[in-house]
């Protein structure tokens, strides 16, 4: 048969439509970055086997929950629901087929062109007519009501759109090109039409070149995320292995009462955290650790590493106390394999170090005693530091971290880590050790920290007059299971 050009173009058009209707084209390359040093996703085979044994349905869980900090391009689109009836009907007919589940993310062949996920705030669930109580007080009140608890200096630095109570939900769109992300967003927007309004958008992307996987201060990020039992049953040495219910609602060890439809969903915390990189660098060079044999720059690098608890490569100071060890940082079987084995001892890693504050390991006893695990999926946003900013030691263009975390309980998860550990100078391990010097917050007032930051002079007080991380606000969301998108949320 001779195919006329009109017929050919109709065929192409029909195929295009089929792609649009049935989801998206498949990719042969991964949409995830895979820097050495970060834990890899389990193989599809291993994850399916673990899930089958645990009775977990990976196709019902949204994909972003499990991928961790490995996205190349990710755009967050915060929206308001304008017409709930139309929104619900489009959610079921047009958006649900686009939603990427956890199983799809496990192999290149099953990954979509763009990961599309959706999550709702409490006001969003209310707008959809949901009256069930998800039983998390932080989620219910929203992040704005939590600003004081989190140590923010009020909401003066908040992105205005996070303060108006109009954010009902967020679309997460991630891919290996911004073009794919934009095309996917155009699909979503066309499908929802005037039933929703885009309130605020944050475009985020991994840093370039050898900084891929590193946050803006320069440290490899995403190394230590817990492995979820029933998804990844082969944790790396030192990696926490947590019951499904620590991350997913209604699963093993989730002790709260939840509506049945919320099972296998997860609370999604979003925070836009601006990072003052030139100011942070200047602080380090002005306050180096003075140790014989170290240059001023090496002393500054040591202070930075002790503030985080890891070197830029990811090597932990506990295992590599005086200098970075890039081979260790790149080795995911070794770079998380430590505990703070001698509680009350901070010679190797300061008590106030960011990673010790957030996961005190043996300071708490067995890892099973830690009920404050979160699954981070953050990604940097904003451009690299310019030469002018570096020369003036002053930030003029906003950059930072689109901080995201999943957990089954925001109060004992994200909120607890920020409020009770990072912002608390009387950290339970040892009193009077000070704030987390990087992310701890004191309502904008000066923070102090000693916490053995200086190994030579453990009581040396570092007074941090200005924050290096500025909260620009955010919101608390619920990432529902696909089954709820198909039913409760769309009918
Ligand atoms: C701009 C702000 C932040 C920066 C620059 C930052 C940076 C880092 C870095 C470099 C690591 C080490 C790499 C890794 O283990 O993945 C880390 C670990 C971690 N961070 Fe942050 N972080 C920030 C905000 C937060 C916030 C807001 C929280 C929670 C409330 C948090 C919780 C954690 C946890 C739980 C770990 C892993 C600790 C471990 O298991 O050893 N971070 N962060």
């Amino acid at each position: 048969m001779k195919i006329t050009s009109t017929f050919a173009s109709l065929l192409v058009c029909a195929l295009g439509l089929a792609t649009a209707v049935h989801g998206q084209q498949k990719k042969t390359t991964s949409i995830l970055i895979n820097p050495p040093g970060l834990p890899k996703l389990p193989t599809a085979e291993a994850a399916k086997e673990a899930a089958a044994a645990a009775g977990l349905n990976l196709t019902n869980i949204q994909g972003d929950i499990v991928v961790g900090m490995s996205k190349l391009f990710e755009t967050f689109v915060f929206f308001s629901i304008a017409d709930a009836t139309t929104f619900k009907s489009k959610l079921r007919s047009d958006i649900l087929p686009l939603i990427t589940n956890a199983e799809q993310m496990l192999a290149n062949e099953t990954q979509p062109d763009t990961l599309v996920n959706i999550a709702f705030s409490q006001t969003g669930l209310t707008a959809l007519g949901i009256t069930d109580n998800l039983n998390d007080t932080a989620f219910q009140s929203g992040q704005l009501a939590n600003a004081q608890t989190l140590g923010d200096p009020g909401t003066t630095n908040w992105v205005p759109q996070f303060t108006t109570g109009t954010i009902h939900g967020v679309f997460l769109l991630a891919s290996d090109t911004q073009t794919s992300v934009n095309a996917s967003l155009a699909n979503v927007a066309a499908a929802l039409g005037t039933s929703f309004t885009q309130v605020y958008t944050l475009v985020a992307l991994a840093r370039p070149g050898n900084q891929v996987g590193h946050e803006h201060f320069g440290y490899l990020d995403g190394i230590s995320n817990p492995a979820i039992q029933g998804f990844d049953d082969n944790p790396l040495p030192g990696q926490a292995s947590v019951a499904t219910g620590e991350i997913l609602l209604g699963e093993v060890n989730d002790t709260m009462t939840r509506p049945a439809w919320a099972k296998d969903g997860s609370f999604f915390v979003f925070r836009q955290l601006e990072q003052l990189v030139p100011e942070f660098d200047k602080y380090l060079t002005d306050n180096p650790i003075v140790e014989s044999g170290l240059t001023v720059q090496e002393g500054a690098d040591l202070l930075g590493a002790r503030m985080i608890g890891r070197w830029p490569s990811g090597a932990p100071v506990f295992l590599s106390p005086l200098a970075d060890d890039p081979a260790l940082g790149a080795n995911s079987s070794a770079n998380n394999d430590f505990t703070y084995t001698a509680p009350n001892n901070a010679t190797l890693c300061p008590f106030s170090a960011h990673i010790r504050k957030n996961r005190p390991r043996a300071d708490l006893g067995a890892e099973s005693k830690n009920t404050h695990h979160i699954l981070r999926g953050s990604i940097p946003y904003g451009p690299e530091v310019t030469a002018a900013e570096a020369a003036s030691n002053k930030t003029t263009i906003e950059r930072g971290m689109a901080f995201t975390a999943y957990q089954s309980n925001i109060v004992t998860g994200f909120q607890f880590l920020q409020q009770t550990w990072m912002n608390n100078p009387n950290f339970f391990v040892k009193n009077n050790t000070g704030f987390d010097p990087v992310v701890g917050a004191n309502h904008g007032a000066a923070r102090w920290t000693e916490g053995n930051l200086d190994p030579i002079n453990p009581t040396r007080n570092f007074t941090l007059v200005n924050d290096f991380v500025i909260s620009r606000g955010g919101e608390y969301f619920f990432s529902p299971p696909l089954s709820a998108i198909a039913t409760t949320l769309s009918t």
Side-chain angles (χ1 to χ4, degrees):
M1 182 176 81
K2 187 171 174 241
I3 300 178
T4 63
S5 61
T6 318
F7 181 65
S9 52
L10 275 176
L11 190 67
V12 169
C13 197
L15 286 172
L17 270 179
T19 305
V21 171
H22 294 296
Q24 311 166 14
Q25 264 159 6
K26 303 286 184 283
K27 271 195 158 29
T28 48
T29 52
S30 179
I31 68 173
L32 303 174
I33 54 170
N34 200 2
L38 262 56
K40 292 191 185 5
L41 283 176
T43 62
E45 201 183 11
K48 283 182 197 171
E49 201 175 300
L56 199 62
N57 180 0
L58 297 180
T59 62
N60 197 30
I61 300 166
Q62 294 202 55
D64 187 64
I65 298 176
V66 299
V67 297
M69 301 165 82
S70 56
K71 288 153 283 185
L72 189 49
F73 292 93
E74 185 167 28
T75 294
F76 302 85
V77 182
F78 301 91
F79 65 86
S80 198
I81 298 167
D83 166 0
T85 309
T86 313
F87 182 89
K88 281 186 190 191
S89 126
K90 298 289 180 190
L91 180 63
R92 190 173 58 249
S93 62
D94 292 47
I95 303 299
L96 179 60
L98 298 176
I99 302 294
T100 312
N101 68 51
E103 193 175 291
Q104 278 175 282
M105 292 310 295
L106 297 172
N108 295 352
E109 318 77 77
T110 53
Q111 283 178 11
D113 182 59
T114 302
L115 174 150
V116 180
N117 275 192
I118 191 170
F120 295 94
S121 64
Q122 176 62 70
T123 54
L125 291 183
T126 306
L128 293 175
I130 305 293
T131 52
D132 291 332
N133 183 353
L134 289 190
N135 225 343
D136 188 288
T137 52
F139 171 73
Q140 276 163 332
S141 328
Q143 198 176 116
L144 182 62
N146 226 353
Q148 176 72 15
T149 306
L150 298 175
D152 289 6
T155 53
T156 38
N157 298 322
W158 277 43
V159 171
Q161 289 90 333
F162 287 131
T163 66
T164 55
T166 51
I167 291 178
H168 291 152
V170 58
F171 277 104
L172 281 64
L173 307 152
S175 193
D176 54 353
T177 66
Q178 189 63 39
T179 312
S180 292
V181 167
N182 295 346
S184 229
L185 174 57
N187 272 347
V188 166
L192 291 174
T194 54
S195 72
F196 92 137
T197 313
Q198 298 179 42
V199 176
Y200 174 61
T201 300
L202 184 68
V203 174
L205 70 169
R207 295 185 55 212
N210 66 4
Q211 290 302 298
V212 162
H214 294 239
E215 49 71 44
H216 274 294
F217 290 137
Y219 302 87
L220 184 65
D221 204 3
I223 299 167
S224 185
N225 246 343
I228 313 175
Q229 291 157 18
F231 173 70
D232 183 356
D233 284 351
N234 297 300
L236 292 164
Q239 188 177 20
S241 166
V242 301
T244 32
E246 287 203 42
I247 307 297
L248 301 171
L249 273 65
E251 287 290 351
V252 182
N253 278 11
D254 176 17
T255 52
M256 308 300 274
T257 305
R258 320 285 191 179
W261 60 265
K263 185 171 188 238
D264 289 343
S266 186
F267 289 113
F268 170 68
V269 169
F270 178 90
R271 287 278 270 177
Q272 181 169 331
L273 298 175
E274 181 177 4
Q275 294 177 254
L276 304 185
V277 180
E279 291 83 346
F280 177 78
D281 290 344
K282 168 104 169 74
Y283 184 83
L284 299 185
T285 38
D286 285 352
N287 298 276
I289 288 171
V290 181
E291 178 149 358
S292 62
L294 293 187
T295 63
V296 172
Q297 186 57 53
E298 286 165 346
D301 294 345
L302 180 57
L303 177 61
R306 286 180 70 86
M307 284 180 168
I308 292 281
R310 290 188 185 272
W311 294 93
S313 76
V317 291
F318 191 83
L319 299 179
S320 186
L322 282 181
D324 201 350
D325 180 346
L328 174 61
N331 182 348
S332 59
S333 296
N335 66 11
N336 210 14
D337 191 12
F338 63 97
T339 61
Y340 308 108
T341 32
N344 274 324
N345 186 319
T347 311
L348 293 173
C349 180
F351 293 117
S352 53
H354 178 65
I355 64 164
R356 193 162 184 170
K357 283 267 196 183
N358 275 290
R359 183 182 165 211
R361 303 186 188 221
D363 291 330
L364 264 179
E367 191 65 42
S368 55
K369 293 198 179 148
N370 185 354
T371 52
H372 309 290
H373 294 112
I374 57 174
L375 200 49
R376 293 169 300 139
S378 318
I379 177 168
Y381 72 89
E384 294 294 292
V385 172
T386 63
E389 288 180 305
S392 64
N393 303 312
K394 188 148 179 44
T395 299
T396 53
I397 311 170
E398 183 176 346
R399 65 184 58 76
M401 177 184 288
F403 173 86
T404 75
Y406 291 96
Q407 61 254 272
S408 62
N409 191 323
I410 298 175
V411 176
T412 59
F414 164 75
Q415 181 185 296
F416 181 92
L417 296 179
Q418 185 72 59
Q419 181 188 20
T420 312
W421 283 353
M422 283 195 278
N423 297 358
N424 182 359
N426 292 318
F427 191 34
F428 76 93
V429 179
K430 193 167 189 285
N431 272 351
N432 291 316
T433 56
F435 291 79
D436 170 332
V438 188
V439 192
N442 189 21
H443 309 286
R447 300 166 301 140
W448 62 272
T449 188
E450 77 191 25
N452 294 60
L453 271 187
D454 188 334
I456 308 295
N457 180 3
T459 55
R460 175 176 163 196
N461 180 16
F462 291 79
T463 301
L464 308 163
V465 177
N466 298 309
D467 292 340
F468 305 119
V469 171
I470 312 282
S471 162
R472 308 268 288 128
E475 187 50 285
Y476 297 145
F477 298 95
F478 176 63
S479 169
L482 277 82
S483 54
I485 302 175
T487 56
T488 313
L489 301 179
S490 62
T491 47

